[in-house]
């Protein structure tokens, strides 16, 4: 007989003392399924291409760069980050094209696709940390209160790091009737936080599930996992391809560049829009996060090698997680997009856009609150110029945002039925629920 001795009892008591934010370790059939995965070997999940997930190089040199006074100043905005002031009102109107994307900051994105609503990596907390009093703090408010956002059909999680899987946000969403699509092993965290197993779809790479009339596929990524003091690599990380009756979208999660983007594009693309990680990179961890140039290259790989669709840069601007300047990911993406001819969407947090529209938000809004380079912004080759009215348009945006959020607490989005028009396919589960 196993699992009843003193060692088991001690482990159970220790698990009970574990902070709630650390989540839970996979056990039982979930752990057995992990061990059967073709991506799990020698006790850990493996990347599709070799990757070092611990910082490389000299710790002393890294500390010098990270704590140098001028470099620290450039890692933060010089003023209040402009947030779109009318997000809720905009979302109340159904998208004319059937596809609308709203970047909420960092990697949190609301995708309205073919009458359904998909929320990627929702982080509404003030800090991406297991503690309320420490850890990277949000640099701008969330554009919309979570309670006012309205119904969400599917919440998609890319991996279990704190800036992608947020305890208070998940606990709030657990009280709704939304489904959760997560990589293999991540379901253990969600179940501990109150998400019923019946609403979980837990996938290995290249497995798919259908929720309503959407097909969601967990696709490979080059990253790592872990929330607690012991990082056992027992939860998978993933990017996601989502296909509706009329549109296809892709969310990269966190990943380093790898050749597998071409395979993902061939199997699931081309995409109307990709949401690509372009921030929190460093030469000290080059394998697990992409630079802006690598992000644009990944988008092109996903689209068959040539410019197509729209790329939305994500995973930047909201939290200070790396030694690069705060505005560098945005500037680098603009330059790489101009060099390749790729169409970019550059919305302020909370600004919805339709990828199929003739006009996209494309002004580098961050320049109004970023440290200007030597010689000014005009000295940057290939960069989009700020319009003459950009500064004036942003001057009162934060007051409007505060008013909109205050009103949202007593209101909400009343167009849920309109968003679901045209949905008729029955749900069919293509992957087992543990």
């Amino acid at each position: 007989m196993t699992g009843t001795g003193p060692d088991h009892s001690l482990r159970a008591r220790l698990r009970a003392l574990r902070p709630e934010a650390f989540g839970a370790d996979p056990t039982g059939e979930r752990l057995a399924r992990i061990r059967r995965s073709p991506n799990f070997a020698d006790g850990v999940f493996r990347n599709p291409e070799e990757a070092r997930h611990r910082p490389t190089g000299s710790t002393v040199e890294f500390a010098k760069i990270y704590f140098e006074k001028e470099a620290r100043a450039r890692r933060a905005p010089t003023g209040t980050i402009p947030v779109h002031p009318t997000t809720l009102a905009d979302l109340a109107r159904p998208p004319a094209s059937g596809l609308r994307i709203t970047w909420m900051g960092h990697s949190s994105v609301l995708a309205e696709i073919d009458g359904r609503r998909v929320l990627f990596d929702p982080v509404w907390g003030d800090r991406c940390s297991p503690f309320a009093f420490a850890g990277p703090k949000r640099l701008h408010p969330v554009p919309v209160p979570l309670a006012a956002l309205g119904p969400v059909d599917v919440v998609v999680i890319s991996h279990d790091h704190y800036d992608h899987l947020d305890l208070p946000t998940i606990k709030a969403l657990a009280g709704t009737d939304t489904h959760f699509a997560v990589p293999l092993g991540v379901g253990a965290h969600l179940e501990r936080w109150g998400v019923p197993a019946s609403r979980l779809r837990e996938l290995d790479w290249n497995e798919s599930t259908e929720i309503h009339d959407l097909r969601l596929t967990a696709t490979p990524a080059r990253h790592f996992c872990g929330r607690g003091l012991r990082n056992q690599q027992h939860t998978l990380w993933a990017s996601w391809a989502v296909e509706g009756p009329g549109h296809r979208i892709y969310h990269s999660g966190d990943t380093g560049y790898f050749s597998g983007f071409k395979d993902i594009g061939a199997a699931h693309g081309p995409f109307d829009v990709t949401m690509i990680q372009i921030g929190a990179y460093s030469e000290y961890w080059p394998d697990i996060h992409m630079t802006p140039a690598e992000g644009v290259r990944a988008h092109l790989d996903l689209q068959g090698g040539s410019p197509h669709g729209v790329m939305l840069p994500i995973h930047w601007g909201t939290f200070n997680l790396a030694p690069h300047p705060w505005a560098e990911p945005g500037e680098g993406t603009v330059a790489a997009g101009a060099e390749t001819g790729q169409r970019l969407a550059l919305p302020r947090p909370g600004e919805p856009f339709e990828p199929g529209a003739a006009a996209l938000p494309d002004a580098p809004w961050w320049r109004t609150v970023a440290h200007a380079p030597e010689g000014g912004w005009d000295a940057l080759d290939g960069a989009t110029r700020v319009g003459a009215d950009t500064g004036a348009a942003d001057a009162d945006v934060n007051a409007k945002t505060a008013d909109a959020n205050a009103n949202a607490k007593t209101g909400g989005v009343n167009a849920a039925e309109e968003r679901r028009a045209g949905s008729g396919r029955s749900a069919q589960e293509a992957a087992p629920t543990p």
Side-chain angles (χ1 to χ4, degrees):
M1 189 172 182
T2 60
T4 59
D7 288 345
H8 175 78
S9 177
L10 176 60
R11 287 197 300 272
R13 290 197 297 270
L14 290 175
R15 279 197 299 269
L17 295 174
R18 180 175 180 164
E20 187 179 24
F22 283 8
D25 294 327
T27 59
E29 175 53 31
R30 178 177 280 115
L31 182 58
R33 188 177 166 209
I34 287 170
R35 289 170 173 163
R36 293 193 301 267
S37 168
N39 305 302
F40 191 81
D42 299 325
V44 296
F45 277 112
R46 299 291 184 178
N47 270 300
E49 294 177 7
E50 185 177 355
R52 297 158 295 174
H53 65 264
R54 297 185 183 278
T56 60
S58 167
T59 303
V60 174
E61 290 302 315
F62 176 77
K64 287 180 181 178
I65 294 172
Y66 197 83
F67 292 107
E68 195 271 324
K69 185 176 181 180
E70 184 176 347
R72 288 182 66 186
R74 289 185 174 275
R75 290 201 299 274
T78 60
T80 303
I81 295 173
V83 175
H84 187 65
T86 59
T87 306
L88 274 177
D90 296 340
L91 293 178
R93 296 184 293 270
S97 64
L99 178 63
R100 181 167 58 200
I101 304 296
T102 307
W103 178 52
M104 299 295 180
H106 202 57
S107 293
S108 302
V109 181
L110 175 67
E112 297 167 276
I113 173 172
D114 299 332
R116 300 293 177 183
R117 305 177 96 208
V118 181
L119 187 57
F120 292 94
D121 284 357
V123 175
W124 258 249
D126 288 333
R127 296 183 185 273
C128 50
S129 166
F131 309 110
F133 56 86
K137 188 174 176 60
R138 180 179 291 278
L139 298 175
H140 65 79
V142 180
V144 179
L146 187 61
L149 187 61
V152 173
D153 294 289
V154 190
V155 172
V156 176
I157 303 297
S158 65
H159 64 298
D160 69 359
H161 285 158
Y162 289 94
D163 56 323
H164 297 259
L165 181 61
D166 180 53
L167 167 62
T169 304
I170 296 300
K171 292 188 79 170
L173 289 166
T176 70
D177 60 358
T178 187
H179 287 81
F180 293 80
V182 303
L184 190 54
V186 174
H189 300 316
L190 271 60
E191 284 194 35
R192 182 180 183 190
W193 300 337
V195 177
S198 62
R199 290 199 276 118
L200 278 173
R201 308 292 175 86
E202 201 163 348
L203 307 183
D204 204 343
W205 287 341
N206 301 313
E207 288 183 342
S208 299
T209 187
E210 291 194 14
I211 299 176
H212 304 300
D213 48 1
L214 299 179
R215 184 175 179 83
L216 301 99
T217 304
T219 47
R222 193 181 183 211
H223 199 57
F224 69 110
C225 65
R227 292 180 72 85
L229 298 177
R230 295 169 60 233
N231 185 358
Q232 296 181 318
Q233 300 296 296
H234 277 182
T235 61
L236 191 58
W237 47 97
S239 57
W240 288 87
V242 179
E243 179 182 357
H247 296 90
R248 298 182 182 196
I249 61 178
Y250 173 84
H251 189 283
S252 72
D254 275 2
T255 181
Y257 180 81
F258 71 114
S259 62
F261 290 117
K262 296 177 183 177
D263 297 328
I264 295 170
H268 305 285
F271 299 100
D272 297 281
V273 63
T274 68
M275 298 155 268
I276 303 289
Q277 173 262 304
I278 51 86
Y281 50 84
S282 172
E283 62 183 7
Y284 290 93
W285 49 84
D287 298 338
I288 56 171
H289 281 231
M290 291 189 290
T291 65
E294 288 172 327
V296 172
R297 181 181 173 191
H299 170 91
L300 296 176
D301 286 353
L302 290 161
Q303 304 290 42
S306 59
H308 180 81
V310 173
M311 174 182 160
L312 169 67
I314 62 171
H315 201 265
W316 77 287
T318 303
F319 298 106
N320 184 347
L321 301 175
H324 60 65
W326 174 73
E328 187 177 278
E331 291 295 336
T333 304
V334 168
E339 184 176 337
T340 60
Q342 174 54 50
R343 198 170 183 227
L344 304 174
L346 304 172
R348 293 172 295 181
E351 183 176 5
F353 70 93
E354 298 193 30
L360 295 173
D362 61 1
W365 53 266
W366 54 86
R367 292 183 180 179
T368 62
V369 290
H371 292 269
E374 187 175 349
W377 296 114
D378 286 339
L380 292 176
D381 294 333
T384 304
R385 303 295 180 246
V386 180
D389 61 344
T390 299
D394 287 339
D396 65 345
V397 75
N398 297 290
K400 291 181 180 178
T401 302
D403 291 342
N405 284 348
N407 292 334
K409 293 179 181 179
T410 58
V413 179
N414 298 315
E417 293 305 318
E418 294 180 77
R419 293 189 192 98
R420 286 158 173 74
S423 64
R425 295 170 59 192
S426 61
Q428 181 180 3
E429 297 163 8
T433 300

